[in-house]
Amino acid sequence: ESHYTSSSQHMAHILTVFFFITTFQTLSILHGVYSHGDAHKCRSYCGNLTVDYPFAIQSGCGHSGYRDLLFCINDVLMLHISSGSYRVLDIDYAYESLTLDDPHMSTCSSIVFGHRGNGFVVERWREPYLNPTADNVFMLLGCTAESPLFQGFPGKHLPCRNVSGMGCEEYYGCPGWDIIGPKKVGVVYGSGPPDCCAVSFEAIKAINLTKLSCQGYSSAYSLAPLRVDGPHGWSYGIRVKYSVEGDDSFCKACEATGGSCGYDVNDFSSLCMCGSWNSTSNCDSVHSASHRRTWSLMDALTGLVECIAIWKLSATLGL
């Protein structure tokens, strides 16, 4: 009976050690699988909008050029630049564009004066890859005669013009003007500035209402080839074209290997996030310093546990 009990205890010890080793190896394998990468790690949602590369609302995700740009507040996606905050109505990843709304911007039904509205001014370092589209018209309202729009542009050289078939002549027909009664100034500048001056963003590079001495503005964009009749059917808002600075081959290679594109929060260099480790190339690479640190620790733990298990098994069997 004692021999039977001893054998049972030996078998129990063996099964315990075997279970211990198997469980640890399984966890190690799962660690390898789940730490390899997650292509959607940085993808976020705010309301009904998907926030994906090059944008992000998580620190370290997306392209460094768009860091601290988007914020999700009560399920409302907001874009913040030097001129102010705008509600993001849409992100079109196929055409690389954003549609923004400024609540203090004039529309066809409401003309807002009183130096209200953000205008549109981006930080200098963002300018090369974040600008309103070429078919976006800005209609500056209530600008003084001393405005930079008119100084140095006498006569027919006024910068005011139509953009993609949209301009002030049509805009004056909006019901929002009924109370104000706009001053329509002809081609020759001499009887005072007009209440509306339409310009493209490219013409003046910044829509700063204070510097331009204007009391308000409206913005509309064209969804070519769709053409609508009159300002009632214009799409009001700011249509912004974005691009990724430099070559985006790094991100493509990262995502192709299951990684998520991001950047180092300290020096803003590109990183490929591969689950529990980051790579400076892609998730198939084993040359990342952080990758070596992660797996050297795992290898050490694995070796230690296996040595203990073998020693315990040897002691159990009396070897």
Side-chain angles (χ1 to χ4, degrees), residues 268-286:
F268 308 123
S269 59
S270 297
L271 285 179
C272 183
M273 288 179 278
C274 308
S276 64
W277 59 280
N278 297 331
S279 171
T280 54
S281 54
N282 58 67
C283 294
D284 283 345
S285 170
V286 294

Side-chain angles (χ1 to χ4, degrees), residues 260-313:
S260 189
C261 305
Y263 62 92
D264 189 310
V265 295
N266 296 314
D267 62 12
F268 308 123
S269 59
S270 297
L271 285 179
C272 183
M273 288 179 278
C274 308
S276 64
W277 59 280
N278 297 331
S279 171
T280 54
S281 54
N282 58 67
C283 294
D284 283 345
S285 170
V286 294
H287 302 297
S288 168
S290 58
H291 176 264
R292 287 198 300 271
R293 285 195 299 271
T294 301
W295 280 104
S296 61
L297 176 60
M298 180 58 69
D299 290 341
L301 287 174
T302 303
L304 176 62
V305 171
E306 287 181 349
C307 287
I308 294 173
I310 291 172
W311 171 78
K312 188 172 181 62
L313 181 60

Side-chain angles (χ1 to χ4, degrees), residues 107-165:
T107 62
C108 197
S109 59
S110 174
I111 306 299
V112 182
F113 274 23
H115 302 285
R116 300 177 68 188
N118 292 327
F120 194 86
V121 182
V122 298
E123 295 83 351
R124 279 292 181 90
W125 61 275
R126 293 197 204 269
E127 285 181 359
Y129 47 96
L130 189 69
N131 280 302
T133 59
D135 59 2
N136 195 115
V137 61
F138 286 92
M139 289 166 289
L140 298 161
L141 311 176
C143 306
T144 66
E146 292 73 30
S147 169
L149 288 171
F150 311 123
Q151 295 298 318
F153 293 95
K156 64 180 181 180
H157 297 296
L158 278 170
C160 309
R161 63 181 183 86
N162 280 8
V163 178
S164 294

Side-chain angles (χ1 to χ4, degrees), residues 59-101:
S59 179
C61 288
H63 190 278
S64 62
Y66 296 105
R67 66 184 183 274
D68 303 325
L69 185 71
L70 297 182
F71 301 89
C72 189
I73 304 173
N74 297 325
D75 283 336
V76 175
L77 190 62
M78 302 294 295
L79 178 144
H80 184 76
I81 52 177
S82 59
S83 55
S85 296
Y86 308 78
R87 179 170 183 167
V88 181
L89 302 179
D90 180 63
I91 304 178
D92 191 328
Y93 293 99
Y95 290 94
E96 298 186 329
S97 62
L98 296 160
T99 303
L100 309 177
D101 174 63

